[in-house]
Amino acid sequence: MSSATAHEAHHEEHPSGIMRWITTTNHKDIGTLYLWFAFIMLFIGGAMALVIRAELFQPGLQFVDPQFFNSMTTMHALIMIFGAVMPAFTGLANWLIPMMIGAPDMALPRMNNWSFWILPFAFAILLSTLFMEGGAPAGGWTLYPPLTLQTGHALPFMILSIHMMGLSSIMGAINIVATILNMRAPGMTLMKMPLFVWTWLITGYLLIAVMPVLAGAVTMLLTDKFFGTSFFNAAGGGDPVMFQHIFWFFGHPEVYILILPSFGVISSIVPTFARKPLFGYSSMVYATASIAFLSFIVWAHHMFTVGMPLSGELFFMFATMLIAVPTGVKVFNWVATMWKGALTFETPMLFALGFIIMFTIGGFSGLMLAIAPADFQYHDSYFVVAHFHYVLVPGSVFAIIAAVYYWLPKWTGHMYNERLGKIHFWLSTIFVNLTFFPMHFVGLAGMPRRIPDYALQFADYNALSSIGAFGFGFSQLLFLYIVLQTVRGGAKAGDRVWEGADGLEWTLPSPPPYHSFTTPPAVR
Amino acid sequence: MGDTRRNRMHALRLMLVVLAMFGFGYALVPLYNVVCQLTGLNGKTTRIGADEAQGYAPDTSRWVTVEFLGSVKAGLPWEFRPVVSRMRVHPGQLYDARFVATNLDTQALVGQAVPSVAPGEAARHFHKTECFCFTQQRFEPKETRELPLRFVIDPELPKHVKTVTLSYTFFDVTSTAKADTETIQKQN
């Protein structure tokens, strides 16, 4: 491995200061950049959520005018999906995958640098639309025409920024897939890979398959608006419903892009704190693959009310319900891993347990929404808002937080403050439920989403949701404090950090050397 | 490192998948139209020749109610409604219906009517030999005009369908229509 040593020596003389971060091709540096970027976006998107909840604290119009309110719902979604959750998972993948498969770095380090550095520009463009004539995009993150084509000057800027986000995540995904398939240490067969690596491999393929479809859809919007095409313009022979089909062909796999890596995180954390190997490893792999496959044939359950033939409604209803089977396998396996285990409840485990319980609640409300005849009542109500926030906040976001607590000692070499971590968990869990649980009730009672005002009978539950949202938002400042405190110092973390931890990343020192494995490790 | 070459090749192959999927996004457009034609998904009606329409055997034992709706897209200052809002028809027989439109504006406007049939499963059995929706309609200021339509419902319409609704929406296409005539004039 003389070439690898030379490679390492070359990288020892990396620039310091800001240029280190701009020019870096190191997977750990880029992982850190992704994670901090996601953290900042979490607070920006969170501030927008608080504008929404402040307005909805009472019935009537209080603080913002309806157009700006709609901008907030649209921008909150775009920022949280493309700016917070997806970059956070890419950051975790950058940090962890080379260490988990025994590789020195990512397969394509320069492209890695590029795929990160596109993001700040994409979001600078997106955020700049807030100051444009006609306001920021306000037609919903789903960009349905013809409404979205009424956006003012912001439309082409939003489309450009979506193209850049898509490019960034496609390049990130190609890099991750190439790393996993080409850079594994000898002996690391596919079925020996940690589940986080497996879930990311499948997520990578999903990204490669559907992000270009979104790019196509927004390009069609652009040409419809500015170049006289009629893809979605009924007057010219197009069909606005077709946009919904194309969008959700991207959109449904997208929701699994947002959740599959969390399954990998939880499958790493639960065995560590149960001190037992993961129950049903291969069934986990097959379950992940079947979820990914099914995600391509269920898109129209987002649009049951557009007027579909009965056979279409039935097909998409049953296909959607079928997803509950592999997902059920996963939840069963996590519970079976804990069964008769020597459980301890450190912060990562608390967040993982919170994930399992609350993600399952979101899964059940998803099953309710899958019932086509019932969906006519639930469609576009706060019940939908409750459902997807349960799978995304105490789902994806809790998994990301759990991952940060779990691997932060490995990354920094310091233990975090366990007492503060536990307080952070309990504050987050109480407030997240206070925010989103009442939304089920107001949704079933008929409160529509994306409206700045509501009927008086929804007032009490909305006030509770708003209190919860502010509580949850400010609890995350505690998380920021804990992370900063751990980066700066704290008790020394051992190589293995957790007594029950298993995997190649724990054989490296904490913090790990700049290049993970310069000689491939032996894999049992 | 030999690995670098292998990684680049792998990345290139995946790039091709990305390009193919971008193309697939566009391929969904004709695909969607085919599916719509087969299922009547978006309620689009079909145009047939007059002789083909004569070929159906009228089923005089069966009555179907056809309802007509006319609406105008926001921003087009027209009045538009059917002359008769419903009629009872036999499948397989040709019928005439009329709509009437008025341009309320003080300038000439061009509109394009877009049909939609509900329920969707009836759409592919609803045929028109003549329709004002086949062409763009130019209305002079304050002009009122009757718009004719000739249709036949084929006898294969599912038995349980008793009522078919035909709705037209007029869209303002004045700006693109002007551009079209200009290009035609330039070509001549």
Side-chain angles (χ1 to χ4, degrees):
Chain A
M1 287 305 290
S2 59
S3 58
T5 343
H7 201 59
E8 185 197 16
H10 169 74
H11 274 272
E12 285 307 323
E13 53 206 63
H14 55 80
S16 54
I18 184 91
M19 283 315 282
R20 167 189 169 182
W21 298 103
I22 293 175
T23 61
T24 185
T25 55
N26 178 272
H27 75 99
K28 299 188 182 76
D29 286 353
I30 293 172
T32 306
L33 286 171
Y34 265 114
L35 287 168
W36 277 115
F37 179 81
F39 215 164
I40 293 165
M41 285 297 146
L42 179 76
F43 282 109
I44 294 176
M48 291 173 173
L50 294 187
V51 172
I52 296 168
R53 284 316 322 174
E55 178 59 52
L56 292 174
F57 183 67
Q58 286 184 343
L61 297 176
Q62 268 77 235
F63 303 108
V64 295
D65 71 293
Q67 166 80 17
F68 187 72
F69 180 90
N70 292 344
S71 287
M72 287 293 103
T73 56
T74 307
M75 296 285 276
H76 164 74
L78 288 171
I79 287 172
M80 287 306 200
I81 292 167
F82 295 102
V85 175
M86 286 169 69
F89 279 131
T90 317
L92 289 174
N94 264 292
W95 250 106
L96 295 170
I97 286 175
M99 296 204 291
M100 284 178 162
I101 61 172
D105 206 308
M106 296 292 279
L108 307 145
R110 286 207 187 89
M111 192 163 88
N112 206 10
N113 172 292
W114 199 23
S115 63
F116 171 76
W117 278 108
I118 287 177
L119 277 182
F121 294 96
F123 282 89
I125 291 171
L126 184 66
L127 287 169
S128 74
T129 60
L130 282 166
F131 309 101
M132 283 178 189
E133 204 180 313
W141 83 278
T142 50
L143 312 172
Y144 284 2
L147 180 62
T148 214
L149 296 177
Q150 292 170 23
T151 307
H153 293 180
L155 185 73
F157 291 91
M158 176 191 67
I159 289 174
L160 176 66
S161 84
I162 288 176
H163 273 305
M164 290 165 73
M165 294 166 202
L167 218 57
S168 159
S169 36
I170 287 169
M171 289 196 293
I174 288 178
N175 208 347
I176 288 165
V177 170
T179 307
I180 296 172
L181 293 183
N182 290 343
M183 307 276 284
R184 275 170 292 131
M188 173 69 78
T189 57
L190 284 175
M191 290 309 273
K192 273 188 190 163
M193 295 194 308
L195 262 169
F196 180 73
V197 181
W198 253 116
T199 52
W200 242 115
L201 178 64
I202 290 166
T203 305
Y205 276 121
L206 286 182
L207 278 165
I208 291 167
V210 299
M211 291 309 284
V213 177
L214 174 69
V218 295
T219 309
M220 290 180 209
L221 284 178
L222 191 77
T223 55
D224 265 17
K225 174 82 175 179
F226 297 104
F227 300 101
T229 60
S230 297
F231 288 107
F232 313 124
N233 177 6
D239 189 344
V241 174
M242 185 176 70
F243 178 85
Q244 301 189 24
H245 283 285
I246 300 176
F247 180 86
W248 286 114
F249 184 83
F250 145 80
H252 202 77
E254 168 70 15
V255 309
Y256 291 100
I257 289 165
L258 297 172
I259 200 68
L260 288 184
S262 339
F263 292 165
V265 168
I266 303 305
S267 303
S268 307
I269 292 174
V270 170
T272 299
F273 296 97
R275 290 164 183 79
K276 276 175 64 196
L278 183 70
F279 182 88
Y281 170 89
S282 44
S283 68
M284 283 296 215
V285 173
Y286 296 132
T288 312
S290 18
I291 292 174
F293 168 74
L294 288 172
S295 74
F296 282 100
I297 56 165
V298 296
W299 75 90
H301 67 213
H302 294 270
M303 32 192 297
F304 278 144
T305 57
V306 296
M308 247 187 280
L310 186 63
S311 52
E313 308 241 335
L314 286 174
F315 171 78
F316 286 111
M317 172 168 116
F318 289 128
T320 305
M321 289 178 166
L322 207 56
I323 297 183
V325 176
T327 315
V329 167
K330 284 183 166 291
V331 175
F332 177 85
N333 284 351
W334 291 323
V335 175
T337 307
M338 288 185 275
W339 176 251
K340 289 190 174 173
L343 292 176
T344 51
F345 299 95
E346 285 87 344
T347 311
M349 183 62 164
L350 287 176
F351 274 100
L353 290 174
F355 171 95
I356 295 172
I357 293 167
M358 288 181 276
F359 174 77
T360 307
I361 293 176
F364 281 137
S365 57
L367 267 178
M368 289 172 70
L369 288 163
I371 304 168
D375 182 72
F376 278 71
Q377 167 73 15
Y378 306 152
H379 190 87
D380 258 348
S381 76
Y382 257 82
F383 190 77
V384 178
V385 178
H387 158 68
F388 69 72
H389 280 94
Y390 258 91
V391 290
L392 277 173
V393 185
S396 304
V397 175
F398 266 39
I400 292 164
I401 295 173
V404 169
Y405 279 114
Y406 184 60
W407 281 292
L408 196 59
K410 169 56 63 188
W411 299 337
T412 61
H414 306 298
M415 285 306 286
Y416 60 87
N417 185 328
E418 187 63 53
R419 211 171 74 87
L420 287 183
K422 288 202 165 101
I423 294 173
H424 174 220
F425 168 75
W426 285 109
L427 286 176
S428 297
T429 303
I430 290 167
F431 282 124
V432 89
N433 283 293
L434 186 62
T435 311
F436 297 117
F437 212 81
M439 289 183 186
H440 291 114
F441 307 136
V442 291
L444 290 179
M447 178 169 160
R449 62 191 283 216
R450 292 170 169 165
I451 309 272
D453 191 6
Y454 50 83
L456 289 178
Q457 70 265 33
F458 305 131
D460 292 351
Y461 281 135
N462 270 289
L464 285 178
S465 281
S466 292
I467 293 167
F470 277 86
F472 182 77
F474 287 108
S475 305
Q476 303 322 306
L477 292 173
L478 177 63
F479 183 41
L480 178 65
Y481 174 76
I482 295 168
V483 172
L484 286 174
Q485 197 189 38
T486 315
V487 172
R488 287 173 166 210
K492 200 90 192 79
D495 289 0
R496 238 172 124 206
V497 183
W498 311 106
E499 182 195 37
D502 191 27
L504 284 178
E505 75 267 34
W506 308 109
T507 63
L508 290 167
S510 305
Y514 199 61
H515 276 270
S516 300
F517 289 97
T518 42
T519 45
V523 179
R524 279 165 288 135
Chain B
M1 289 211 297
D3 275 356
T4 319
R5 225 183 90 86
R6 208 158 60 122
N7 289 336
R8 287 207 182 130
M9 283 307 294
H10 202 113
L12 273 177
R13 274 203 302 275
L14 292 174
M15 270 307 178
L16 288 181
V17 179
V18 170
L19 285 180
M21 287 310 292
F22 187 75
F24 179 74
Y26 276 85
L28 284 173
V29 177
L31 206 66
Y32 177 78
N33 288 332
V34 169
V35 171
C36 286
Q37 232 159 34
L38 291 177
T39 60
L41 193 63
N42 56 1
K44 283 203 178 134
T45 52
T46 49
R47 177 182 189 171
I48 58 171
D51 41 333
E52 199 180 335
Q54 303 292 349
Y56 291 118
D59 180 0
T60 46
S61 64
R62 190 170 165 206
W63 287 103
V64 177
T65 307
V66 180
E67 297 179 328
F68 300 101
L69 278 175
S71 53
V72 179
K73 194 78 170 57
L76 184 65
W78 283 15
E79 242 175 37
F80 174 54
R81 59 182 172 77
V83 174
V84 183
S85 62
R86 64 168 64 205
M87 55 199 286
R88 302 218 315 144
V89 303
H90 291 303
Q93 200 163 315
L94 263 173
Y95 291 90
D96 285 310
R98 279 168 304 147
F99 281 67
V100 60
T102 310
N103 178 6
L104 304 174
D105 207 359
T106 48
Q107 53 178 334
L109 290 171
V110 184
Q112 168 72 55
V114 174
S116 174
V117 167
E121 58 189 325
R124 62 192 155 126
H125 302 288
F126 199 102
H127 311 288
K128 286 175 286 192
T129 59
E130 247 176 69
C131 177
F132 56 93
C133 62
F134 293 161
T135 52
Q136 298 182 341
Q137 300 292 329
R138 184 185 164 89
F139 274 65
E140 298 306 320
K142 306 288 178 195
E143 183 187 351
T144 298
R145 193 162 77 222
E146 281 200 346
L147 300 163
L149 158 77
R150 175 168 283 200
F151 68 92
V152 56
I153 294 176
D154 74 46
E156 278 161 37
L157 182 78
K159 288 276 177 255
H160 62 93
V161 180
K162 305 263 190 280
T163 307
V164 177
T165 307
L166 173 63
S167 137
Y168 283 102
T169 307
F170 253 112
F171 289 82
D172 182 5
V173 293
T174 311
S175 50
T176 47
K178 246 181 219 153
D180 283 349
T181 36
E182 270 166 23
T183 43
I184 290 166
Q185 278 162 358
K186 263 179 208 160
Q187 278 165 356
N188 295 340

